[in-house]
Amino acid sequence: PATYDMIFERLEQLPRSVRHLVVFLGVPIVYPRLTYIERALAGMKSIGLTKLNFIASKRALVNIWGEPELSDDMNDHWTSEVHLAERKQLVLRLQDFARRRSVRVTFVGGDVHCCGAGRFASVNPALPPERDFRFMPQIVSSAIMNIPPPNLVIRAVHSSAKTYELDGSTDELMYRLFEQDVNGHAPPNNNTKLLARRNFSSYVEDLSSRSLIINIHVQNSNNVGTKAYHIGVPALDVGPNVV
């Protein structure tokens, strides 16, 4: 809590001319829930599977503390059950900052070896992003050298990419950004929300509209060049925002 207080005290010192706040996080804060995987791993430990010699000796499966190795990765996610309360508190504090300062908040996170985009927003569908301080896009872009996971993994994560409620005023979802793969065809297993390819992202401000122009550059299937997927992030209107 003290560290969060320090961060928000520093944010209050930003010049009033600032219109965009880009928050870089180790892993995405808007991302499909992996609860069923977490529970399966917890179940493995509870029934003693991790203590069996032929499993316990495999460091790829069980870590030195006797926990399923994948559990550590699951617990790192903001959408893990152990982080949901902290996650909600962070987003609500950023909402308050965005409302008072008319600053658009955008999240950038990676380390999931794939790419995509999502957003928090007001549950009111008639409210345009320009007037919605709760509208906070999430760019999912992993390091260009990360080897993508198998499509089976992406399919499992994609199946849990639903619309969730943060609270009574805010919901969250992943965009269907990849209606076409880099080769012009439908993505594998029709996984339109997450694409398992190497990628990087770029960010430019449009000085005329004060919007943020974001492109996720995805490596082509022949490993030569990239295809860009565009996300436009409008600035938040200065003045009273709908509560």
Side-chain angles (χ1 to χ4, degrees), residues 90-139:
L90 172 59
V91 174
L92 293 180
R93 289 186 74 169
L94 286 169
Q95 284 183 357
D96 178 66
F97 175 78
R99 177 185 59 80
R100 291 185 294 101
R101 298 288 297 265
S102 295
V103 171
R104 172 69 68 213
V105 176
T106 300
F107 296 104
V108 179
D111 201 32
V112 288
H113 298 215
C114 63
C115 54
R119 58 92 178 128
F120 292 108
S122 169
V123 296
N124 179 3
L127 188 61
E130 292 81 1
R131 297 184 59 217
D132 184 5
F133 65 87
R134 296 185 179 93
F135 178 74
M136 299 179 180
Q138 162 75 71
I139 308 303

Short mmCIF file of all heavy atoms in Angstrom, two decimals, residues 90-139:
data_model
loop_
_atom_site.label_atom_id
_atom_site.label_comp_id
_atom_site.label_asym_id
_atom_site.label_seq_id
_atom_site.Cartn_x
_atom_site.Cartn_y
_atom_site.Cartn_z
N LEU A 90 -6.29 -0.96 -7.64
CA LEU A 90 -5.44 -0.18 -8.54
C LEU A 90 -6.27 0.47 -9.65
O LEU A 90 -6.11 1.66 -9.94
CB LEU A 90 -4.36 -1.08 -9.15
CG LEU A 90 -3.51 -0.45 -10.26
CD1 LEU A 90 -2.78 0.79 -9.76
CD2 LEU A 90 -2.53 -1.47 -10.83
N VAL A 91 -7.15 -0.29 -10.27
CA VAL A 91 -7.95 0.25 -11.38
C VAL A 91 -8.87 1.36 -10.89
O VAL A 91 -9.01 2.41 -11.55
CB VAL A 91 -8.76 -0.88 -12.07
CG1 VAL A 91 -9.71 -0.30 -13.13
CG2 VAL A 91 -7.82 -1.89 -12.71
N LEU A 92 -9.49 1.18 -9.73
CA LEU A 92 -10.39 2.21 -9.20
C LEU A 92 -9.63 3.50 -8.87
O LEU A 92 -10.14 4.61 -9.10
CB LEU A 92 -11.12 1.69 -7.96
CG LEU A 92 -12.13 0.55 -8.22
CD1 LEU A 92 -12.78 0.12 -6.90
CD2 LEU A 92 -13.20 0.96 -9.22
N ARG A 93 -8.42 3.38 -8.35
CA ARG A 93 -7.62 4.58 -8.07
C ARG A 93 -7.23 5.29 -9.37
O ARG A 93 -7.22 6.52 -9.44
CB ARG A 93 -6.37 4.21 -7.26
CG ARG A 93 -6.67 3.81 -5.83
CD ARG A 93 -5.40 3.59 -5.02
NE ARG A 93 -4.73 4.84 -4.66
CZ ARG A 93 -3.74 4.93 -3.78
NH1 ARG A 93 -3.30 3.82 -3.18
NH2 ARG A 93 -3.18 6.09 -3.51
N LEU A 94 -6.92 4.50 -10.40
CA LEU A 94 -6.60 5.11 -11.69
C LEU A 94 -7.83 5.75 -12.33
O LEU A 94 -7.73 6.78 -12.99
CB LEU A 94 -5.99 4.06 -12.63
CG LEU A 94 -4.55 3.66 -12.31
CD1 LEU A 94 -4.13 2.43 -13.11
CD2 LEU A 94 -3.59 4.82 -12.57
N GLN A 95 -9.00 5.14 -12.12
CA GLN A 95 -10.24 5.76 -12.60
C GLN A 95 -10.44 7.13 -11.95
O GLN A 95 -10.80 8.10 -12.63
CB GLN A 95 -11.44 4.87 -12.29
CG GLN A 95 -11.58 3.66 -13.19
CD GLN A 95 -12.84 2.86 -12.87
OE1 GLN A 95 -13.58 3.19 -11.93
NE2 GLN A 95 -13.08 1.82 -13.63
N ASP A 96 -10.22 7.21 -10.66
CA ASP A 96 -10.39 8.47 -9.95
C ASP A 96 -9.41 9.52 -10.48
O ASP A 96 -9.77 10.69 -10.68
CB ASP A 96 -10.18 8.26 -8.45
CG ASP A 96 -10.30 9.55 -7.66
OD1 ASP A 96 -11.41 10.11 -7.62
OD2 ASP A 96 -9.28 10.00 -7.10
N PHE A 97 -8.16 9.09 -10.72
CA PHE A 97 -7.16 10.01 -11.26
C PHE A 97 -7.57 10.48 -12.66
O PHE A 97 -7.48 11.68 -12.98
CB PHE A 97 -5.80 9.31 -11.32
CG PHE A 97 -4.72 10.13 -11.98
CD1 PHE A 97 -4.10 11.16 -11.29
CD2 PHE A 97 -4.34 9.87 -13.29
CE1 PHE A 97 -3.11 11.92 -11.90
CE2 PHE A 97 -3.36 10.63 -13.91
CZ PHE A 97 -2.74 11.66 -13.21
N ALA A 98 -8.03 9.55 -13.51
CA ALA A 98 -8.44 9.90 -14.87
C ALA A 98 -9.60 10.89 -14.85
O ALA A 98 -9.63 11.85 -15.63
CB ALA A 98 -8.83 8.63 -15.63
N ARG A 99 -10.57 10.67 -13.96
CA ARG A 99 -11.75 11.54 -13.89
C ARG A 99 -11.37 12.95 -13.44
O ARG A 99 -11.80 13.94 -14.04
CB ARG A 99 -12.76 10.94 -12.90
CG ARG A 99 -14.01 11.79 -12.69
CD ARG A 99 -14.89 11.18 -11.62
NE ARG A 99 -14.21 11.05 -10.34
CZ ARG A 99 -14.04 12.04 -9.48
NH1 ARG A 99 -14.49 13.26 -9.75
NH2 ARG A 99 -13.40 11.83 -8.34
N ARG A 100 -10.53 13.05 -12.41
CA ARG A 100 -10.19 14.37 -11.88
C ARG A 100 -9.26 15.16 -12.79
O ARG A 100 -9.35 16.38 -12.86
CB ARG A 100 -9.54 14.22 -10.49
CG ARG A 100 -10.49 13.74 -9.41
CD ARG A 100 -9.83 13.74 -8.05
NE ARG A 100 -8.74 12.76 -7.95
CZ ARG A 100 -7.45 13.05 -8.04
NH1 ARG A 100 -7.06 14.31 -8.25
NH2 ARG A 100 -6.53 12.09 -7.92
N ARG A 101 -8.38 14.44 -13.49
CA ARG A 101 -7.35 15.13 -14.29
C ARG A 101 -7.63 15.08 -15.79
O ARG A 101 -6.85 15.61 -16.58
CB ARG A 101 -5.99 14.50 -14.00
CG ARG A 101 -5.53 14.65 -12.54
CD ARG A 101 -5.13 16.06 -12.21
NE ARG A 101 -3.99 16.46 -13.00
CZ ARG A 101 -2.72 16.39 -12.58
NH1 ARG A 101 -2.44 15.95 -11.36
NH2 ARG A 101 -1.73 16.78 -13.36
N SER A 102 -8.72 14.44 -16.22
CA SER A 102 -9.04 14.26 -17.65
C SER A 102 -7.86 13.67 -18.40
O SER A 102 -7.43 14.16 -19.45
CB SER A 102 -9.45 15.60 -18.27
OG SER A 102 -10.65 16.07 -17.70
N VAL A 103 -7.33 12.59 -17.85
CA VAL A 103 -6.19 11.88 -18.44
C VAL A 103 -6.63 10.48 -18.87
O VAL A 103 -7.27 9.77 -18.09
CB VAL A 103 -5.02 11.78 -17.43
CG1 VAL A 103 -3.93 10.86 -17.95
CG2 VAL A 103 -4.45 13.15 -17.14
N ARG A 104 -6.32 10.13 -20.09
CA ARG A 104 -6.62 8.78 -20.56
C ARG A 104 -5.55 7.81 -20.05
O ARG A 104 -4.35 8.06 -20.20
CB ARG A 104 -6.64 8.74 -22.09
CG ARG A 104 -6.76 7.34 -22.69
CD ARG A 104 -8.14 6.73 -22.43
NE ARG A 104 -9.15 7.45 -23.17
CZ ARG A 104 -10.40 7.63 -22.76
NH1 ARG A 104 -10.78 7.15 -21.58
NH2 ARG A 104 -11.26 8.29 -23.50
N VAL A 105 -5.99 6.71 -19.47
CA VAL A 105 -5.08 5.68 -18.96
C VAL A 105 -5.06 4.50 -19.93
O VAL A 105 -6.11 4.00 -20.33
CB VAL A 105 -5.49 5.20 -17.56
CG1 VAL A 105 -4.59 4.05 -17.09
CG2 VAL A 105 -5.45 6.35 -16.56
N THR A 106 -3.87 4.08 -20.33
CA THR A 106 -3.69 2.91 -21.20
C THR A 106 -2.70 1.97 -20.54
O THR A 106 -1.65 2.39 -20.05
CB THR A 106 -3.17 3.33 -22.59
OG1 THR A 106 -4.10 4.21 -23.21
CG2 THR A 106 -2.97 2.12 -23.48
N PHE A 107 -3.03 0.68 -20.51
CA PHE A 107 -2.14 -0.34 -19.96
C PHE A 107 -1.37 -1.04 -21.07
O PHE A 107 -1.91 -1.31 -22.14
CB PHE A 107 -2.93 -1.40 -19.18
CG PHE A 107 -3.64 -0.88 -17.96
CD1 PHE A 107 -5.01 -0.68 -17.97
CD2 PHE A 107 -2.94 -0.60 -16.79
CE1 PHE A 107 -5.67 -0.21 -16.85
CE2 PHE A 107 -3.59 -0.14 -15.66
CZ PHE A 107 -4.97 0.07 -15.69
N VAL A 108 -0.11 -1.37 -20.78
CA VAL A 108 0.71 -2.18 -21.68
C VAL A 108 1.33 -3.30 -20.85
O VAL A 108 1.96 -3.03 -19.82
CB VAL A 108 1.81 -1.36 -22.37
CG1 VAL A 108 2.65 -2.26 -23.28
CG2 VAL A 108 1.21 -0.21 -23.17
N GLY A 109 1.14 -4.54 -21.27
CA GLY A 109 1.72 -5.66 -20.54
C GLY A 109 2.05 -6.79 -21.49
O GLY A 109 1.49 -6.89 -22.59
N GLY A 110 2.98 -7.65 -21.10
CA GLY A 110 3.38 -8.76 -21.96
C GLY A 110 3.71 -10.00 -21.17
O GLY A 110 3.00 -10.34 -20.22
N ASP A 111 4.78 -10.69 -21.56
CA ASP A 111 5.26 -11.90 -20.88
C ASP A 111 4.28 -13.06 -20.98
O ASP A 111 4.34 -14.00 -20.20
CB ASP A 111 5.59 -11.61 -19.41
CG ASP A 111 6.53 -12.66 -18.82
OD1 ASP A 111 7.36 -13.18 -19.59
OD2 ASP A 111 6.43 -12.95 -17.62
N VAL A 112 3.33 -13.00 -21.93
CA VAL A 112 2.41 -14.11 -22.14
C VAL A 112 2.63 -14.75 -23.51
O VAL A 112 1.85 -15.58 -23.94
CB VAL A 112 0.94 -13.65 -21.98
CG1 VAL A 112 0.63 -13.37 -20.51
CG2 VAL A 112 0.63 -12.43 -22.83
N HIS A 113 3.68 -14.31 -24.21
CA HIS A 113 4.14 -14.94 -25.45
C HIS A 113 3.09 -14.91 -26.57
O HIS A 113 3.08 -15.79 -27.43
CB HIS A 113 4.59 -16.38 -25.20
CG HIS A 113 5.74 -16.49 -24.26
ND1 HIS A 113 6.72 -17.45 -24.39
CD2 HIS A 113 6.10 -15.76 -23.16
CE1 HIS A 113 7.62 -17.31 -23.42
NE2 HIS A 113 7.25 -16.29 -22.68
N CYS A 114 2.22 -13.92 -26.54
CA CYS A 114 1.25 -13.75 -27.61
C CYS A 114 0.86 -12.27 -27.63
O CYS A 114 1.43 -11.46 -26.89
CB CYS A 114 0.02 -14.64 -27.40
SG CYS A 114 -0.93 -14.26 -25.90
N CYS A 115 -0.07 -11.90 -28.48
CA CYS A 115 -0.48 -10.50 -28.56
C CYS A 115 -2.00 -10.39 -28.62
O CYS A 115 -2.71 -11.34 -28.95
CB CYS A 115 0.15 -9.81 -29.77
SG CYS A 115 -0.12 -10.63 -31.34
N GLY A 116 -2.49 -9.19 -28.28
CA GLY A 116 -3.92 -8.93 -28.29
C GLY A 116 -4.20 -7.58 -27.69
O GLY A 116 -3.29 -6.79 -27.41
N ALA A 117 -5.47 -7.28 -27.47
CA ALA A 117 -5.87 -6.01 -26.87
C ALA A 117 -7.22 -6.20 -26.20
O ALA A 117 -8.05 -7.01 -26.62
CB ALA A 117 -5.94 -4.90 -27.92
N GLY A 118 -7.43 -5.44 -25.13
CA GLY A 118 -8.69 -5.46 -24.41
C GLY A 118 -8.95 -4.10 -23.81
O GLY A 118 -8.28 -3.12 -24.15
N ARG A 119 -9.91 -4.03 -22.89
CA ARG A 119 -10.20 -2.74 -22.27
C ARG A 119 -11.10 -2.89 -21.06
O ARG A 119 -11.89 -3.82 -20.93
CB ARG A 119 -10.84 -1.80 -23.28
CG ARG A 119 -12.16 -2.30 -23.90
CD ARG A 119 -13.35 -1.81 -23.11
NE ARG A 119 -14.66 -2.16 -23.60
CZ ARG A 119 -15.59 -2.74 -22.86
NH1 ARG A 119 -15.34 -3.10 -21.60
NH2 ARG A 119 -16.80 -2.98 -23.34
N PHE A 120 -10.96 -1.93 -20.12
CA PHE A 120 -11.98 -1.64 -19.12
C PHE A 120 -12.85 -0.54 -19.71
O PHE A 120 -12.38 0.29 -20.50
CB PHE A 120 -11.35 -1.11 -17.83
CG PHE A 120 -10.54 -2.10 -17.05
CD1 PHE A 120 -9.16 -2.01 -17.00
CD2 PHE A 120 -11.16 -3.12 -16.33
CE1 PHE A 120 -8.40 -2.91 -16.27
CE2 PHE A 120 -10.42 -4.03 -15.59
CZ PHE A 120 -9.03 -3.92 -15.57
N ALA A 121 -14.12 -0.47 -19.33
CA ALA A 121 -14.99 0.61 -19.78
C ALA A 121 -16.24 0.65 -18.93
O ALA A 121 -16.58 -0.31 -18.22
CB ALA A 121 -15.37 0.44 -21.25
N SER A 122 -16.96 1.76 -19.01
CA SER A 122 -18.23 1.89 -18.33
C SER A 122 -19.21 0.85 -18.88
O SER A 122 -19.19 0.51 -20.06
CB SER A 122 -18.80 3.29 -18.53
OG SER A 122 -20.15 3.36 -18.09
N VAL A 123 -20.08 0.35 -18.01
CA VAL A 123 -21.09 -0.62 -18.46
C VAL A 123 -22.18 0.04 -19.29
O VAL A 123 -23.00 -0.65 -19.89
CB VAL A 123 -21.73 -1.34 -17.25
CG1 VAL A 123 -20.70 -2.18 -16.51
CG2 VAL A 123 -22.40 -0.35 -16.30
N ASN A 124 -22.20 1.36 -19.34
CA ASN A 124 -23.18 2.10 -20.15
C ASN A 124 -22.74 2.08 -21.61
O ASN A 124 -21.79 2.77 -21.98
CB ASN A 124 -23.29 3.54 -19.64
CG ASN A 124 -24.27 4.37 -20.46
OD1 ASN A 124 -24.93 3.87 -21.38
ND2 ASN A 124 -24.39 5.65 -20.13
N PRO A 125 -23.43 1.32 -22.48
CA PRO A 125 -22.98 1.19 -23.87
C PRO A 125 -23.14 2.47 -24.68
O PRO A 125 -22.53 2.62 -25.74
CB PRO A 125 -23.87 0.08 -24.43
CG PRO A 125 -25.11 0.14 -23.59
CD PRO A 125 -24.66 0.54 -22.22
N ALA A 126 -23.96 3.41 -24.20
CA ALA A 126 -24.20 4.65 -24.93
C ALA A 126 -23.13 5.70 -24.66
O ALA A 126 -23.10 6.75 -25.31
CB ALA A 126 -25.58 5.22 -24.57
N LEU A 127 -22.24 5.43 -23.72
CA LEU A 127 -21.23 6.41 -23.34
C LEU A 127 -20.00 6.26 -24.24
O LEU A 127 -19.34 5.23 -24.23
CB LEU A 127 -20.83 6.20 -21.87
CG LEU A 127 -19.92 7.25 -21.23
CD1 LEU A 127 -20.59 8.61 -21.23
CD2 LEU A 127 -19.55 6.83 -19.81
N PRO A 128 -19.66 7.28 -25.04
CA PRO A 128 -18.50 7.17 -25.93
C PRO A 128 -17.20 7.21 -25.13
O PRO A 128 -17.13 7.82 -24.06
CB PRO A 128 -18.63 8.40 -26.83
CG PRO A 128 -19.39 9.40 -26.01
CD PRO A 128 -20.34 8.59 -25.16
N PRO A 129 -16.15 6.56 -25.65
CA PRO A 129 -14.86 6.54 -24.93
C PRO A 129 -14.34 7.93 -24.61
O PRO A 129 -13.69 8.13 -23.58
CB PRO A 129 -13.94 5.81 -25.91
CG PRO A 129 -14.85 4.96 -26.72
CD PRO A 129 -16.13 5.74 -26.86
N GLU A 130 -14.63 8.92 -25.48
CA GLU A 130 -14.13 10.28 -25.26
C GLU A 130 -14.64 10.89 -23.96
O GLU A 130 -14.03 11.81 -23.42
CB GLU A 130 -14.50 11.18 -26.44
CG GLU A 130 -13.81 10.86 -27.74
CD GLU A 130 -14.45 9.70 -28.49
OE1 GLU A 130 -15.47 9.16 -28.00
OE2 GLU A 130 -13.94 9.35 -29.56
N ARG A 131 -15.78 10.40 -23.47
CA ARG A 131 -16.37 10.94 -22.25
C ARG A 131 -16.36 9.94 -21.10
O ARG A 131 -16.93 10.21 -20.04
CB ARG A 131 -17.82 11.38 -22.53
CG ARG A 131 -17.95 12.51 -23.55
CD ARG A 131 -19.40 12.95 -23.69
NE ARG A 131 -19.93 13.41 -22.42
CZ ARG A 131 -21.19 13.20 -22.01
NH1 ARG A 131 -22.03 12.53 -22.77
NH2 ARG A 131 -21.59 13.67 -20.85
N ASP A 132 -15.69 8.81 -21.31
CA ASP A 132 -15.72 7.73 -20.33
C ASP A 132 -14.34 7.61 -19.65
O ASP A 132 -13.40 7.08 -20.24
CB ASP A 132 -16.08 6.42 -21.03
CG ASP A 132 -16.23 5.25 -20.06
OD1 ASP A 132 -16.14 5.47 -18.83
OD2 ASP A 132 -16.43 4.12 -20.54
N PHE A 133 -14.23 8.10 -18.41
CA PHE A 133 -12.96 8.00 -17.70
C PHE A 133 -12.64 6.57 -17.31
O PHE A 133 -11.49 6.24 -16.96
CB PHE A 133 -12.95 8.91 -16.46
CG PHE A 133 -13.94 8.51 -15.39
CD1 PHE A 133 -13.60 7.59 -14.42
CD2 PHE A 133 -15.21 9.08 -15.35
CE1 PHE A 133 -14.50 7.22 -13.42
CE2 PHE A 133 -16.11 8.74 -14.36
CZ PHE A 133 -15.77 7.80 -13.39
N ARG A 134 -13.63 5.68 -17.36
CA ARG A 134 -13.41 4.27 -17.05
C ARG A 134 -12.84 3.51 -18.25
O ARG A 134 -12.42 2.36 -18.11
CB ARG A 134 -14.71 3.61 -16.60
CG ARG A 134 -15.27 4.17 -15.29
CD ARG A 134 -16.51 3.39 -14.84
NE ARG A 134 -17.02 3.91 -13.58
CZ ARG A 134 -17.97 4.83 -13.48
NH1 ARG A 134 -18.51 5.35 -14.59
NH2 ARG A 134 -18.38 5.25 -12.30
N PHE A 135 -12.86 4.13 -19.44
CA PHE A 135 -12.33 3.47 -20.63
C PHE A 135 -10.81 3.45 -20.56
O PHE A 135 -10.15 4.49 -20.63
CB PHE A 135 -12.80 4.19 -21.90
CG PHE A 135 -12.24 3.58 -23.17
CD1 PHE A 135 -12.74 2.38 -23.65
CD2 PHE A 135 -11.23 4.22 -23.86
CE1 PHE A 135 -12.22 1.81 -24.81
CE2 PHE A 135 -10.71 3.66 -25.03
CZ PHE A 135 -11.21 2.46 -25.51
N MET A 136 -10.24 2.25 -20.38
CA MET A 136 -8.79 2.07 -20.26
C MET A 136 -8.38 0.88 -21.12
O MET A 136 -8.63 -0.27 -20.76
CB MET A 136 -8.39 1.81 -18.81
CG MET A 136 -8.73 2.93 -17.85
SD MET A 136 -8.22 2.51 -16.16
CE MET A 136 -8.75 3.98 -15.27
N PRO A 137 -7.79 1.13 -22.28
CA PRO A 137 -7.35 0.03 -23.14
C PRO A 137 -6.19 -0.74 -22.53
O PRO A 137 -5.43 -0.20 -21.72
CB PRO A 137 -6.94 0.72 -24.45
CG PRO A 137 -7.50 2.10 -24.35
CD PRO A 137 -7.57 2.44 -22.90
N GLN A 138 -6.06 -1.98 -22.94
CA GLN A 138 -4.93 -2.83 -22.55
C GLN A 138 -4.28 -3.39 -23.80
O GLN A 138 -4.93 -4.05 -24.61
CB GLN A 138 -5.41 -4.00 -21.68
CG GLN A 138 -4.45 -5.18 -21.56
CD GLN A 138 -3.29 -4.89 -20.64
OE1 GLN A 138 -3.46 -4.80 -19.45
NE2 GLN A 138 -2.08 -4.75 -21.21
N ILE A 139 -3.00 -3.11 -23.99
CA ILE A 139 -2.25 -3.67 -25.10
C ILE A 139 -1.45 -4.85 -24.59
O ILE A 139 -0.70 -4.73 -23.61
CB ILE A 139 -1.30 -2.62 -25.73
CG1 ILE A 139 -2.06 -1.35 -26.09
CG2 ILE A 139 -0.59 -3.21 -26.95
CD1 ILE A 139 -3.22 -1.54 -27.03
#
